[in-house]
Amino acid sequence: MNFFFTCVLCFALGFIRPSFGQSFDDKLNQAEQIRDTDPQQSAALLNEILLADSLQVPLLVRARTLQLLGLGEMYNNQFDQAAHYFKRSGDLYSYIQPGKEITNQKASLSMDMGRSFTWQAKYDSALHRILFAKKLYEETGDKKGLAITLNAIAI
């Protein structure tokens, strides 16, 4: 009888994990909110997500985390490292089931890459990435994203 209860308890504990801390989504959102005001804390939260077991972190959260780390590197003029993070993020987005949210995230990533190229005075590459983002925002009907891309083209 004790063996049976021990097995049931182990089974239950294996599938029911108490959550004492923030979820990965919460950490990602917090890192995004404080990116400009506290970049070090933002980077620490993002790295915490990356160091977590990849099976626990949803692909979308991991892809957005890599994208935000790329932005941080871009803001520090570390363009090679930013490109590395952006590429890894794009690779993960390609594994996620297509949908409006994913398409908008791909467009956001393309805009970030375009900004990075602009800062490096690689204007042809920047325009290519921004136009790709514009196309994706048009597909999803995201007017705010479309306005951002048109503004980036105008500048």
Side-chain angles (χ1 to χ4, degrees):
M1 189 73 156
N2 285 341
F3 177 75
F4 175 75
F5 286 114
T6 304
C7 289
V8 169
L9 182 62
C10 290
F11 178 80
L13 290 176
F15 288 98
I16 302 172
R17 289 182 224 159
S19 177
F20 297 109
Q22 291 177 295
S23 74
F24 293 115
D25 276 328
D26 292 340
K27 287 180 183 181
L28 181 62
N29 290 332
Q30 182 183 357
E32 202 165 9
Q33 289 172 354
I34 64 172
R35 180 181 67 213
D36 295 330
T37 58
D38 192 353
Q40 289 178 330
Q41 179 62 26
S42 176
L45 285 168
L46 295 171
N47 281 314
E48 190 177 323
I49 294 169
L50 277 188
L51 293 175
D53 181 1
S54 61
L55 296 176
Q56 293 178 347
V57 181
L59 281 179
L60 179 58
V61 171
R62 191 168 289 279
R64 286 181 58 211
T65 298
L66 289 164
Q67 183 177 347
L68 287 174
L69 284 168
L71 275 176
E73 295 296 336
M74 183 184 83
Y75 292 145
N76 289 319
N77 294 324
Q78 301 297 318
F79 298 113
D80 290 339
Q81 188 63 32
H84 172 74
Y85 283 127
F86 289 151
K87 181 186 180 325
R88 288 178 58 195
S89 177
D91 290 346
L92 286 178
Y93 283 132
S94 68
Y95 290 112
I96 302 172
Q97 189 74 359
K100 184 176 180 177
E101 180 183 8
I102 301 306
T103 302
N104 281 342
Q105 281 302 130
K106 286 180 181 179
S108 171
L109 175 63
S110 191
M111 276 299 300
D112 292 342
M113 293 170 79
R115 269 190 225 111
S116 181
F117 286 131
T118 300
W119 288 14
Q120 298 172 70
K122 297 178 179 178
Y123 300 115
D124 289 339
S125 297
L127 184 60
H128 173 75
R129 297 309 308 175
I130 293 168
L131 289 173
F132 181 69
K134 178 182 172 281
K135 177 183 165 234
L136 293 176
Y137 283 131
E138 286 173 341
E139 286 176 12
T140 63
D142 186 325
K143 292 180 181 181
K144 180 181 176 184
L146 187 56
I148 291 169
T149 59
L150 292 173
N151 184 52
I153 293 169
I155 293 175

